[in-house]
């Protein structure tokens, strides 16, 4: 009998999702003649009264390697464990669709839901996804390289305009819990100051860098992760926006920092929040190759019947861990990471107060 | 005796400024053995007690064609006509530097200042500059193509993330007075809705497009120029920000539109303000060639002693107009422009109310 | 009764073809509810025993704006006028398909075929296409900007490697009859020498530039159009390859020039033939907008019943000429073109012998 | 007393060299106040009668992170061990320049020379460099990611033109001894066939893929590393070119394969040799970060006095090996590498004969 495997993508989109879908589907079709079924809009496609699915023939997954986003759609909020009836419906749909198992591609939250369903009997293989590169136990996630490239390009553009005007230019990147994007893009874009969630920054230390550079008629480029916060400070953005409704909670920490810096420096301060562009676009060649490997590895797990496991990358090699053992939380930049040393030694400020 | 010519760049920076500087300087050096002197930070370099200038040797302007921004620096606010003493100092410095004349590269405001100085006896040739492409009587200004390319790339990225989530995604471009960037980048990025300063938009018409697309499970991409405004509405952004100090006037019309749309559509609405990245970066090949032509044409005017004139592009050819006759204000998109017809005919909404 | 219009693309592919197809089809569908039919592989799709066609619904032409090539396929050699039987079959198929008329997108050769069919009674509107930008009477063709961008990027890469090794680096571009690509990409890529079909070059003059630069420890970048030839020389490439079968006629004029230069200069000479990459890839934003305009204009001609005409661009405006009057041959770079003056004045050698 | 350290780059250029130079120099200046001296054109700068060197101040290495090539210049052939007199001169120069030690950035050959000099008493730290990613014991070298990105982009362009014409398109990449570039770029560019030096290919197997695709009216993209060879075949390119002088040994294995395929397939076959563009251009953000780490690690070795060692990357971490122990030869793609499995499973042909 032909095997039938489902695929879904959950959580925020990420460059490389289509490359994973393609590699999973093609590998399963070619290696064991499986039928592959795409679930639409993440778990939402299984939660509704009638499931929203589509067969994924070879042609349907050809030509999608380079496309950003996910051809299956995704959802941020669908929770198949929200109540007993919903969970039952999801399991019933999976059975009615005659799915032998389900490949679930998603972030921390999606993996937790997949694990919950696995405990209820669904056969699941997980593929971790985040542009933030902060999955515990996973060295490098697909999508991160693309996000870094997008941010770096933006920083390069901002460098030339900042230089022409002798300004302090602040650019805010994604990375609520971990500073990988800000760190790597900041280094690649030759930022003068890099501020991360992992290292509380000192506004006066940042201002001192800007002033010293302004004195030499040099502009300053500050790259700040959205989760960075001033030493001793409360989460700054919330404070600023406490009085306004959601769609007017405009901007972020970059603007808050700009407001704090402006009175301390003798030049103009400007801020740019990169926002959603960081999630989109065609994956870099690096991410296409990496995502293809993740997808192909997931297919091996399916073919081996290794249900309940999640693909991971450790010491440069793909392997897997039990969904049950997958660590939660966020993998932050370790304070002894060689990139932090390199940054400091080449003269990049991390916003730390000058040594007494 | 060796001729000495000065060059300065004024106003906001723009991709292609260095290409103009290079073409002016190399042409003058090679054709008539002139010495070329760069003035730093626009008119500011001539306004201070001692002028800030630097000789521009052949090597100094080699290798800058591809660089964004201006190697000379620029200033937004320096006004050499601010008072009699300043004007006199500027003229005195020009004389002391033995400048035969000055090539001034800048926008509307800078040209007005150049004209004022010309009336006081300074020999000036002007080169118009704007990324907004809105100089009256000038068909296409350098820097515009690069800005359109940058915005288009951003729209492409936003398309994939919007598509994955089925969202309404709003992207705000530069263009305070004219919608050229929003129009061309919107068309090139396959936006579904394009909103321009030239055509007051109807929020409900935009919402109707979003709803119709959402019903077919399609996302909607809205490209809005920063100067666009709702029909009958006051300038929306100011209203929103009236209560806050400058550095916290976060975001712009995109966020205002997002707030207005959200209650009218059944899907998530998100906004991105591209900001300063639109000014920066290496000029496109098109802009490098165009800027080289502008610079070379300015050199012809200098060599011909055609002082008091500004380079312009009309009907596909470079020519010049008297600075005195250079029209002021902004060249908007004419309402009968073929691109507007093309947009409507291929199904792009311009935010106009559906015909009754 | 619903109108039915066919579209086909003929000759070599070109970035922007899909943008034209999309604009023609969407404009006709939306403005007059026409059915649009795509003919496959150029005229070949109408020449075979049963025509190969496909309906082009709105969805079929959505999302293709950014794609290089042509979704309809093309053919270089199909000649519907090759014999009476073939011509009759093509006309019969057009009738059987109930095509009110046909939009033909192609180069010089394709337009001649379209004109021949028009004389036999087929209702045709033409859209000119060439990456070489050499259509007589047409100022700027879509695809050219993309080709220039691709070549410029390649030159930029070659600059850094040439610089590191102090080499003479020769890069060969497309442009058999006209030097537009070599000229604009050479200028945009800061080539030191630009050789065009329009100006026979002097090998010794080129060598002199290389030697003078080598003495200052500078590399030399030579950009040569494939149709360029040495003064007094026969077409060099054919001579070199006269003894070999087609697939081994490797390389081109760049290699011939390299062989001629190497004995005359004290540094290594290397050659790169860019080849087919120049035709491919996603069109630049400029070309997307331009191609959209060409397509929309063709749709106006169809809607106006202006059969037998070809869209053209003159003095910055789209208009049309009678297919019968469309000039043949190739639009070369005029010897008094301002870009040639600019090139010479900024120190770019055009391979002309040094003035006596 | 101030420490003085020299830096040189040897062998073919590679994206990221400037990033290494910058990180070495800035780290040494900032951490131990060292003076850093750049040697020009690799070992050549120490071999000549008077050494060609230049001080590398902080400003001299600022702004070079994004630049391709090497600001120091390089040489392919300079051999400081060529004879006793030369070796003695190099050592004498190093002493006269008061160099405490030398950071040598280069490939296999350059490292062997560095080791030879180390045995003669020169204090050396090595940084391995290759765009081919084939250094034994080094998992990922800087420059490789950029080369893969360049090749992938070219493949993408070739895909659209091949598709439009239904052609077989062959693209030849660098990689004389190892197929990493062809493999990763082929996967990232969605090549249908990937041919590597590690797996002798069967022309008929490749032809069979092309024919099967042509039958479904699909084009075929073949990505071939320059070192790939047919099963049982002699090195094909040499045979073809045996009769011609060096500068006319045009093209490479791609053309040879094209000639062999053309009679076996019913569609046009075309070949493109990418050549020198693969070495050039600005490094990708990934390579900028990686090269910065290599350079910073080399500086740690210098500061620790760990002379005679070479930086390396193993299991995702930077460390070092003794120059004496640095394995020579080339790191090929292991036949059990997961990427080869992935390629086969997603339907990419590696030119292997179909299983009997």
């Amino acid at each position: 009998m032909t095997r039938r495997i489902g695929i879904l993508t959950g959580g925020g989109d990420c460059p490389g999702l289509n490359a994973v879908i393609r590699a999973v589907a093609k590998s399963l079709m070619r290696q064991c003649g499986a039928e592959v079924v795409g679930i639409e809009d993440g778990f939402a496609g299984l939660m509704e009264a009638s499931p929203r699915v589509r067969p994924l023939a070879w042609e349907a997954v050809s030509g999608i390697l380079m496309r950003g986003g996910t051809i299956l759609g995704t959802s941020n909020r669908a929770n198949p464990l929200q109540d007993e009836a919903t969970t039952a419906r999801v399991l019933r749909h999976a059975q009615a669709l005659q799915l032998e198992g389900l490949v679930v591609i998603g972030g921390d939250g999606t993996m937790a839901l997949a694990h919950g369903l696995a405990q209820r009997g669904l056969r699941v293989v997980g593929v971790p996804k985040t542009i933030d590169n902060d999955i515990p136990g996973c060295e490098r996630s697909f999508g991160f390289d693309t996000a870094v490239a997008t941010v770096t390009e933006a920083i390069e553009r901002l460098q030339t305009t900042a230089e022409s005007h002798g300004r302090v230019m602040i650019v805010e990147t994604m990375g609520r819990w971990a500073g990988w994007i800000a760190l790597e893009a900041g280094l690649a874009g030759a930022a003068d100051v890099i501020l991360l969630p992992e290292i509380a920054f000192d506004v006066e230390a940042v201002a001192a860098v800007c002033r010293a550079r302004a004195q030499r008629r040099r502009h300053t480029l500050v790259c700040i992760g959205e989760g960075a916060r001033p030493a001793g400070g409360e989460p700054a953005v919330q404070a600023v926006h406490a009085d306004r409704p959601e769609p007017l909670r405009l901007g972020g920490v970059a603007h808050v920092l700009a407001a704090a810096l402006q009175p301390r420096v003798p030049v103009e301060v400007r801020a740019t929040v990169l926002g959603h562009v960081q999630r989109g676009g065609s994956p870099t060649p690096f991410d296409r190759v990496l995502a293809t490997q993740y997808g192909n590895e997931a297919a091996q797990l399916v073919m081996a019947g290794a249900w309940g496991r999640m693909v991971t990358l450790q010491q440069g090699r793909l392997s897997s861990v039990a969904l049950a053992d997958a660590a939660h939380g966020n993998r932050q930049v370790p304070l002894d990471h060689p990139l932090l040393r390199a940054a400091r030694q080449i003269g990049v400020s991390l916003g730390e107060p000058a040594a007494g």
Side-chain angles (χ1 to χ4, degrees), chain A:
Chain A
M1 205 193 81
T2 309
R3 306 169 71 169
R4 274 190 128 194
I5 309 289
I7 308 183
L8 69 78
T9 50
D13 69 311
C14 176
L17 284 172
N18 284 326
V20 177
I21 293 168
R22 170 182 177 266
V24 170
K26 287 194 165 182
S27 300
L28 290 175
M29 288 185 230
R30 199 160 205 281
Q31 288 306 103
C32 60
E35 275 179 38
V36 179
V37 173
I39 318 289
E40 294 183 352
D41 296 338
F43 285 116
L46 290 177
M47 288 164 61
E48 297 171 16
S50 36
R52 285 191 288 114
V53 301
R54 68 175 95 142
L56 290 179
W58 190 272
E59 291 303 310
V61 294
S62 289
I64 66 171
L65 173 64
M66 284 85 162
R67 283 177 56 186
T70 162
I71 57 166
L72 297 176
T74 183
S75 58
N76 276 330
R77 289 167 199 168
N79 180 357
L81 305 175
Q82 67 191 30
D83 55 49
E84 189 50 39
T86 304
T87 309
R89 193 161 53 243
V90 165
L91 296 171
R92 204 165 56 235
H93 285 330
Q95 198 162 28
L97 290 164
Q98 296 185 290
L99 298 182
E100 179 184 333
L102 190 63
V103 175
V104 175
I105 314 166
D108 197 46
T110 304
M111 287 303 126
L113 297 174
H115 180 51
L117 291 170
Q119 287 178 309
R120 295 290 300 267
L122 194 68
R123 278 177 294 204
V124 172
V125 158
V127 180
K129 170 234 61 150
T130 161
I131 63 164
D132 290 342
N133 202 31
D134 63 355
I135 300 164
C138 182
E139 278 173 6
R140 199 155 189 110
S141 53
F142 64 87
F144 171 64
D145 189 64
T146 304
V148 168
T150 301
V151 175
T152 301
E153 194 190 301
I155 294 178
E156 284 194 66
R157 288 188 203 280
L158 295 171
Q159 289 275 18
T160 62
T161 184
E163 184 181 19
S164 300
H165 290 273
R167 282 176 181 154
V168 172
M169 186 68 81
I170 305 170
V171 55
E172 177 179 326
T173 76
M174 285 191 170
R176 193 159 306 185
W177 309 113
W180 295 105
I181 293 179
L183 177 57
E184 296 216 2
L187 282 170
D192 305 297
V193 180
I194 299 176
L195 306 176
L196 314 173
E198 290 85 350
I199 301 174
F201 64 86
D202 179 54
V203 173
E204 180 48 31
V206 177
V209 172
C210 300
R211 285 194 304 263
R213 293 182 59 86
Q215 212 161 13
R216 292 180 288 130
R217 296 197 167 273
R218 301 297 305 271
H219 69 288
T220 303
L221 197 306
V222 180
C223 178
I224 183 167
E226 62 176 320
R229 65 193 190 290
E234 60 177 317
V237 183
Q238 279 84 323
V240 168
H241 289 309
D243 58 326
R244 2 195 78 199
E246 157 79 277
L248 292 177
R249 293 188 177 192
L250 318 166
V253 67
H255 290 283
V256 176
L257 177 59
L261 275 182
Q262 187 63 85
R264 298 171 192 247
V265 299
V267 293
E268 289 176 335
V269 181
R270 292 286 182 274
T272 297
V273 179
L274 294 180
H276 300 278
V277 294
Q278 297 167 86
R279 305 200 84 83
S282 180
T284 58
F286 182 96
D287 273 339
R288 295 179 198 174
V289 171
L290 186 61
T292 297
Q293 287 189 278
Y294 271 99
N296 181 248
E297 189 70 22
Q300 310 311 304
L301 294 176
V302 169
M303 291 188 281
W307 304 112
R309 298 193 72 80
M310 181 184 82
V311 180
T312 189
L313 183 84
Q314 290 178 327
Q315 294 185 302
R317 294 187 162 278
L318 283 167
S319 58
S320 68
V321 295
L323 268 175
D325 296 344
H328 295 292
N330 300 88
R331 186 177 68 99
Q332 290 201 308
V333 180
L335 293 182
D336 62 351
H337 194 281
L339 274 180
L340 296 178
R341 181 194 70 194
R344 290 187 191 102
Q345 291 196 357
I346 64 174
V348 175
S349 166
L350 301 175
E352 297 156 307

